[in-house]
Amino acid sequence: MNRAQMRTAAFAAVAVLAGSALAACGSSSGSSGGTTGSGGGSVENAKVAFLMPDLASTRYELQDKPLFEARMKQLCPTCVVIYQNADSDAAKQQQQANSALAQGVKALVIDPVDSAAAATIVKTAQSQQVPVIAYDRPIPATPADYYISFDNEKIGQLIAQSLVDHLKAEKAEGGILEVNGSPTDAAAGLIKKGIHSAIDPSGFKLLAEYDTPDWQPEKAQTWVSGQITQFKDQIVGVVAANDGTGGGAIAAFKAAGVKVPPVTGNDAEVAAAQRIIAGDQYNTISKPIKIVAEATANVAWEFMQGKKPAGKTTLYNTPSELFVPTVVTKENIKEVLFDSGIMKAADVCTGEYAKGCAELGIK
């Protein structure tokens, strides 16, 4: 067998392996509306970019990255994942995208720091026939080739309605603070819309709301501290758009030496689970990152083979798949997070949280 024949045989083996992996994962492909396809050619040793937005949330380094990489390894053992985190810097993310494109990636997955600024990245990639998958946060101005996320508007509605129902059951009287996510994040805008859909008709007064720059917990804490000074015991609840801002709100009440009212969250971080067990945080959202990370790898792999995966729905003129999240409170945290295997008691029930875990039967 000459060298050309050997290369052909090697490519065929990889193609068979890739086809088997796709069949096993059940990922669908079709002729839907992505605007570009992969440039074609061999997928052996192909590269895919995975660009995450910030370090303020621990999830990207601890969950999204390893889960995406593991699924890509299953689908294409020889493929290379180029991972970068922009650390809340939109200009840095632009540079990272340009670098990935220069390295010849066949697909680009991006969770944008700034959803508007990311439009430039989409245009640049698509001009080079590289498909773009918006991950977790949409890119409204310029349609990506695909969007995968949990339903962010539903997240906002669920956490806020859960809080409203609790306050009504407790016959609380007063108003609510709303701590939103980053004003440059389109997903935060969807969460905010969902929050208002539950709060506005609730009968509880919205005392004040705040868009937290870069989702920074410290900035949320500082703002909530000011509201405590202004509104004092009028505050009966806080709708925070994620666990980081929720943790910042809780820290503000503790620093002020006043009782912590029910506070929401989102992302089901370990720290949030501990706060729920301790009674400091009222709820969070379980949106198993494994679901979106693996679904994104499946879609990226299809694009890398020159296919155009069909969306289950459309958002911002982009073929999309939106998964439904689950509200977590002290009442169902054992079942949703621990019995399911999403979290391990050994990681959560440490030190001061051991007693609370024991009381809830978490072990």
Side-chain angles (χ1 to χ4, degrees):
M1 182 180 291
N2 61 35
R3 184 173 298 176
Q5 289 172 324
M6 291 173 67
R7 284 198 301 267
T8 301
F11 173 78
V14 171
V16 169
L17 177 62
S20 300
L22 263 181
C25 76
S27 181
S28 62
S29 62
S31 58
S32 122
T35 57
T36 61
S38 172
S42 173
V43 291
E44 186 176 6
N45 301 317
K47 298 173 183 176
V48 54
F50 192 66
L51 309 181
M52 295 294 100
D54 63 64
L55 297 169
S57 176
T58 59
R59 55 170 283 195
Y60 300 112
E61 302 289 315
L62 298 180
Q63 298 184 66
D64 298 80
K65 173 183 180 286
L67 289 167
F68 179 83
E69 289 177 335
R71 183 57 181 157
M72 281 304 308
K73 191 72 174 177
Q74 290 177 336
L75 295 170
C76 179
T78 63
C79 287
V80 177
V81 176
I82 298 175
Y83 171 74
Q84 296 287 341
N85 190 301
D87 196 14
S88 301
D89 186 334
K92 184 177 181 179
Q93 190 167 63
Q94 177 74 65
Q95 294 169 357
Q96 291 170 343
N98 291 341
S99 174
L101 291 170
Q103 293 178 65
V105 295
K106 284 185 169 288
L108 189 151
V109 178
I110 180 169
D111 191 336
V113 173
D114 184 318
S115 295
T120 301
I121 295 174
V122 175
K123 291 175 183 176
T124 302
Q126 291 178 344
S127 72
Q128 298 179 32
Q129 300 301 303
V130 176
V132 177
I133 303 164
Y135 179 86
D136 195 37
R137 305 174 182 179
I139 305 172
T142 300
D145 296 274
Y146 211 93
Y147 172 50
I148 295 182
S149 177
F150 278 88
D151 187 332
N152 287 295
E153 187 172 339
K154 188 68 174 177
I155 287 170
Q157 188 272 330
L158 286 171
I159 58 176
Q161 191 61 55
S162 170
L163 177 68
V164 166
D165 291 345
H166 174 69
L167 294 177
K168 287 183 176 179
E170 295 293 314
K171 295 181 170 52
E173 295 182 1
I176 293 172
L177 298 179
E178 181 176 337
V179 186
N180 302 309
S182 172
T184 63
D185 176 359
L190 292 171
I191 294 172
K192 181 177 179 177
K193 182 179 179 182
I195 289 172
H196 276 282
S197 74
I199 297 298
D200 293 352
S202 70
F204 290 100
K205 181 179 179 180
L206 180 59
L207 298 172
E209 67 176 301
Y210 175 66
D211 294 341
T212 311
D214 299 325
W215 293 92
Q216 289 291 333
E218 297 83 4
K219 293 177 181 178
Q221 180 176 347
T222 298
W223 180 78
V224 172
S225 294
Q227 306 315 301
I228 294 170
T229 300
Q230 180 176 352
F231 295 108
K232 299 181 174 63
D233 57 3
Q234 293 181 56
I235 305 168
V236 295
V238 179
V239 183
N242 77 342
D243 290 332
T245 55
I250 291 166
F253 284 98
K254 289 192 170 186
V258 298
K259 181 181 178 182
V260 180
V263 177
T264 73
N266 160 37
D267 284 338
E269 294 182 350
V270 167
Q274 291 174 327
R275 290 192 295 264
I276 290 173
I277 289 167
D280 289 330
Q281 184 167 322
Y282 178 65
N283 71 23
T284 188
I285 283 285
S286 174
K287 46 181 188 181
I289 292 168
K290 181 180 175 71
I291 293 174
V292 289
E294 292 190 349
T296 301
N298 295 340
V299 169
W301 176 234
E302 290 195 62
F303 275 123
M304 291 163 73
Q305 296 174 97
K307 300 177 183 179
K308 291 187 177 181
K312 305 293 177 65
T313 186
T314 301
L315 186 67
Y316 297 120
N317 296 316
T318 304
S320 305
E321 186 166 9
L322 304 177
F323 298 95
V324 179
T326 303
V327 176
V328 178
T329 65
K330 186 177 283 191
E331 282 67 36
N332 68 350
I333 190 170
K334 177 180 181 294
E335 174 189 359
V336 176
L337 296 184
F338 294 93
D339 293 350
S340 67
I342 293 173
M343 287 187 179
K344 296 179 180 179
D347 298 328
V348 178
C349 302
T350 57
E352 63 186 287
Y353 305 105
K355 181 180 178 182
C357 285
E359 291 173 352
L360 294 173
I362 299 170
K363 55 186 178 180

